């Protein structure tokens, strides 16, 4: 039974060359909630995102979003089902302006008016980007680049937003701000799948979480429960 | 040297520069989106010229005599056919080799170019000899002293300029152009934006090839002759122009095209006793520029790609 707006990853195996990086991952991203994925460096978190997006398609297993089977689809078709991504390391187009980067976030939106409206909405969240809309993204500061990347992820008005380590390389103050914004995005009805290493703050806003280690899910549960979980405590709270 | 003769050289140089730029733009577009060198580009141009000539024969055969209708039809048919040829090369020869070393793509497109050239030589009626290309443009000319400006040259120059402006607008002002630039900078992130990567690459190949067809037809109209191996030298020159301008940058390609033509023209003027050496002179200077600025005049670092 497909649940509308739910992302379901079922027993996927994903490899880059030969060795599997993901060894039978299953998880659900419940609509309207923030689901998080924790795990140390190299656990395979970004690989899960790449698998969902079809950038590194799984060699086995299946992925579906609502009633749509995403397995084997080209990336642009997966995006068309209402998924957007704020990738690890921002991945802005450095030689395009802030505005052009935002436009690309709404590439599949055909109405110019809608795109313009959404850009205005992004400028409301990040007024700083309005002042710098013609600046080349590559010349922005790290924090500003993070804003562009988040704004670009919202431009497509996705049902589901995949966010890969948004706090990477940001000052503690801006990290806090970022988590607030993610929470706000979710409150507006966008389902969030959040990959993070920042355990405290992530579990504070997430409803449900998975813990990944060496390509396998080693723990899962409601955030509050997960925070008390001994394995998680061992791995993260030392 | 008489000022009128000099003017003649300038017009000729501009004409060459225009054709070289149009070829170089293709090289730079292909490199932009896929980081590859497509060595069949010159031969695709040649096919474009022959497609134009064939269209002309076809129109004559069905009794369409108006030079303007002929001209427009020739350009449109040739651009479309050549665009299709270019996108097929992109789809079936270049894209499948995306994860292979770039050298393999170079080799396979080099061979594809040879196949095209030999096909025209063997299968086009009397294909191994130069073919007269019809003069479809008005033949009036205006003279000021020693300087004669042919109306057809002027029209070709204006048309070439329009094509260059159109490409630049397409790349910089349209949604397709934005997608091409995004793919050029980061193909994977472009996919995450929902861009159909394969389609953008194929369309880019079609555009670059269609533009080459225009250069091929300009060449035919200007010299009133086309040849099965015309793409060889034009390809090498277009490639050099793209490299010297800074591969991946369309303004660099245009600059490189006119620079090469300027050098050739200068060689022909400065070495009147040995104007046959103008190509040698131009290539020698290009080699020196490359030694001076190995990444091209407009280096990719400092400029927007494509
Ligand atoms: N493009 C690639 N080619 C080959 N191996 C890769 C590639 N990308 C990732 N890997 C390997 O896959 C494994 C998981 O990487 P992944 O990027 O998914 O980890 P991660 O959990 O996101 O780590 P981090 O927290 O450091 O971002 C690592 O061992 C990594 O070396
Ligand atoms: Mg990662």
């Amino acid at each position: 039974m497909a649940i509308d707006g739910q992302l379901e990853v079922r027993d996927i195996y994903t490899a880059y060359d030969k060795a599997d990086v993901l060894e039978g991952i299953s998880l659900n991203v419940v609509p309207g909630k923030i689901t998080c994925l924790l795990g140390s460096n190299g656990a395979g978190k970004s690989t899960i995102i790449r698998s969902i997006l079809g950038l590194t398609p799984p060699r086995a297993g299946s992925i579906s979003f609502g009633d749509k089977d995403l397995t084997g689809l080209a990336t642009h078709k997966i995006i068309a089902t209402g998924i957007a991504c704020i990738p690890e390391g921002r991945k802005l187009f450095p030689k395009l302006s802030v505005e052009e980067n935002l436009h690309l976030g709404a590439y599949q939106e055909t109405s110019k008016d809608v795109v313009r409206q959404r850009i205005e909405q992004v400028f409301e969240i990040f007024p700083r980007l309005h002042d710098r809309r013609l600046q080349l993204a590559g010349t922005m500061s790290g924090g500003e680049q993070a804003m562009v990347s988040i704004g670009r992820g919202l431009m497509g008005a996705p049902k589901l937003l995949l966010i890969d380590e948004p706090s990477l390389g940001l000052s503690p103050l801006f990290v806090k701000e970022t988590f607030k914004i993610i929470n706000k995005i979710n409150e507006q009805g966008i389902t969030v799948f959040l990959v993070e290493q920042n355990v405290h703050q992530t579990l504070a806003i997430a409803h449900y979480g998975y813990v990944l280690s060496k390509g396998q899910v080693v723990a899962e549960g409601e955030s509050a429960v997960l925070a008390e979980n001994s394995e998680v405590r061992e791995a993260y709270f030392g | 040297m008489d000022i009128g003769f000099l003017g003649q050289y300038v017009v000729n140089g501009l004409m060459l520069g225009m054709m070289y730029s149009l070829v170089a733009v293709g090289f730079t577009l292909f490199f932009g989106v896929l980081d590859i060198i497509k060595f069949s580009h010159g031969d695709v141009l040649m096919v474009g010229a022959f497609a134009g000539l064939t269209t002309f024969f076809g129109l004559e055969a069905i009794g369409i005599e108006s030079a303007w209708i002929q001209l427009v039809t020739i350009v449109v048919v040739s651009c479309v056919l050549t665009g299709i040829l270019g996108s097929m090369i992109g789809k079936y020869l270049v894209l499948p080799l995306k994860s292979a070393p770039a050298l393999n793509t170079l080799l396979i497109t080099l061979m594809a170019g040879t196949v095209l050239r030999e096909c025209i030589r063997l299968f086009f009626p009397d294909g191994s000899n130069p073919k007269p290309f019809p003069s479809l443009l008005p033949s009036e000319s205006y003279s000021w002293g020693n300087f004669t400006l042919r109306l057809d040259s002027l029209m070709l120059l204006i048309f070439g300029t329009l094509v260059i402006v159109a490409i630049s607008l397409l790349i910089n002002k349209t949604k397709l152009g934005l997608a091409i630039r995004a793919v050029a900078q980061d193909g994977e992130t472009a996919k995450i934006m929902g861009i159909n990567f394969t389609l953008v690459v194929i369309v880019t190949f079609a555009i670059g090839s269609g533009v080459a067809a225009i250069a091929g037809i300009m060449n035919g109209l200007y010299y009133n002759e086309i040849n099965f191996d015309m793409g060889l030298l034009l390809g090498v020159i277009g490639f050099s122009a793209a490299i010297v301008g800074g591969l991946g940058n369309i303004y660099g390609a245009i600059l490189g095209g006119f620079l090469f033509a300027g050098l050739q023209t200068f060689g022909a003027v400065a070495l009147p006793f040995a104007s046959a050496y103008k190509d040698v002179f131009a290539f020698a200077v290009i080699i020196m520029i490359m030694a001076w600025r190995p990444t091209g005049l407009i280096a990719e670092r400092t400029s927007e790609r494509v």
Side-chain angles (χ1 to χ4, degrees), chain A residues 70-209:
Chain A
L70 304 186
T71 323
L73 285 189
T75 303
H76 66 277
K77 292 192 176 144
I78 292 173
I79 299 297
T81 63
I83 297 177
C85 174
I86 301 172
E88 183 173 28
R90 330 264 180 258
K91 295 288 168 62
L92 298 181
F93 297 98
K95 288 161 188 168
L96 299 183
S97 71
V98 169
E99 208 163 47
E100 285 173 322
N101 268 281
L102 293 178
H103 267 278
L104 283 165
Y107 185 77
Q108 296 190 343
E109 176 56 60
T110 45
S111 156
K112 280 187 180 173
D113 287 335
V114 171
V115 173
R116 214 169 295 133
Q117 268 171 25
R118 289 199 194 140
I119 285 194
E120 289 309 319
Q121 282 165 9
V122 170
F123 286 159
E124 265 168 46
I125 308 175
F126 304 111
R128 214 189 165 94
L129 297 186
H130 181 266
D131 306 331
R132 300 185 168 259
R133 61 188 185 280
L134 300 179
Q135 188 173 332
L136 295 189
T139 64
M140 309 272 282
S141 78
E144 289 165 344
Q145 294 199 12
M147 297 178 198
V148 180
S149 187
I150 295 171
R152 191 180 63 177
L154 295 173
M155 282 296 295
K159 288 186 246 163
L160 167 65
L161 188 56
L162 313 174
I163 312 180
D164 195 349
E165 296 205 37
S167 66
L168 200 73
L170 298 178
S171 71
L173 202 69
F174 200 82
V175 171
K176 224 171 140 193
E177 188 60 27
T178 306
F179 277 100
K180 250 194 232 158
I181 290 169
I182 292 171
N183 211 9
K184 226 187 268 170
I185 292 171
N186 176 244
E187 278 165 7
Q188 284 165 12
I190 298 176
T191 309
V192 173
F193 183 52
L194 175 62
V195 170
E196 257 300 342
Q197 306 223 29
N198 208 319
V199 183
H200 285 290
Q201 301 188 60
T202 306
L203 288 178
I205 63 165
H207 302 87
Y208 199 87

Side-chain angles (χ1 to χ4, degrees), chain A residues 16-17 21-22 39-48 50 56 88 164-165 195 197 212:
Chain A
Y16 287 99
D17 305 308
V21 171
L22 303 183
S40 52
N41 293 113
K45 304 182 297 297
S46 299
T47 306
I48 293 185
R50 295 179 59 85
T56 311
E88 183 173 28
D164 195 349
E165 296 205 37
V195 170
Q197 306 223 29
L212 195 66

Side-chain angles (χ1 to χ4, degrees), chain B residues 35-290:
Chain B
D35 283 320
I36 52 102
I37 303 298
K38 174 173 165 272
F39 255 132
S40 52
H41 194 47
D43 298 297
V44 168
L45 174 153
M46 176 276 299
V47 171
F50 276 85
L53 184 62
T54 310
T55 311
F56 171 74
F57 291 147
L59 291 169
E60 291 276 301
I62 58 172
I64 292 174
E65 303 278 344
S66 154
W68 287 116
I69 296 179
Q70 287 184 343
L71 208 55
V72 172
T73 317
I74 285 174
V75 170
V76 171
V77 171
S78 165
C79 277
V80 169
L81 289 180
T82 313
I84 293 172
L85 174 65
S87 52
M88 304 247 281
I89 292 176
K91 181 164 184 193
Y92 296 110
L93 298 183
V94 178
L95 272 177
L97 270 74
K98 201 167 50 158
S99 45
L103 215 52
N104 296 16
T105 310
L106 205 136
L107 183 65
I108 207 167
T109 56
L110 198 64
M111 292 191 290
T114 309
V115 168
L116 291 176
R117 203 157 58 239
E118 288 303 303
C119 281
I120 295 289
R121 188 170 76 89
L122 296 171
F123 301 126
F124 201 84
D126 191 25
S128 50
N129 286 316
K131 304 268 126 213
F133 201 89
S135 344
L136 297 170
L137 291 167
S139 52
E140 288 98 326
S141 57
Y142 311 97
S143 293
W144 294 271
N146 268 334
F147 176 58
T148 307
L149 179 61
R150 285 167 48 186
L151 187 56
D152 56 354
S153 306
L154 185 65
M155 294 172 85
L156 284 176
L157 282 178
I158 292 172
F159 181 62
T161 310
L162 289 178
V163 172
I164 287 178
V165 170
I167 297 169
S168 150
L169 288 177
L170 175 79
I171 299 290
N172 291 310
K173 299 281 178 226
T174 68
K175 194 167 175 180
L176 173 63
L178 184 61
I180 292 175
R181 284 182 292 150
V183 167
Q185 278 181 37
D186 182 348
E188 188 159 273
T189 308
K191 288 183 190 172
I192 298 175
M193 299 297 106
I195 292 171
N196 184 341
F197 177 87
T198 309
L199 184 66
V200 167
V201 168
I202 290 173
V203 168
T204 307
F205 271 70
I207 294 170
S209 305
V211 170
I214 290 177
I217 291 171
M218 280 177 75
N219 198 285
L221 289 170
Y222 190 58
Y223 293 114
N224 293 126
E225 187 178 285
I226 57 174
N227 202 332
F228 76 95
D229 64 1
M230 67 191 282
L232 277 178
L233 188 59
L234 275 168
V236 174
I237 292 176
F239 179 46
S240 319
I243 297 269
V244 81
L247 203 51
N249 177 297
I250 62 165
Y251 299 110
I254 294 163
L255 177 72
F258 282 99
L259 177 72
F260 195 93
L263 288 172
Q264 273 183 326
T265 310
F266 181 79
V269 176
L271 315 166
F273 50 91
S275 65
Y277 289 99
K278 64 182 197 304
D279 289 349
V280 177
F281 171 75
F283 277 118
V285 175
I286 295 290
I287 291 170
M288 287 190 282
I289 294 177
M290 291 313 296

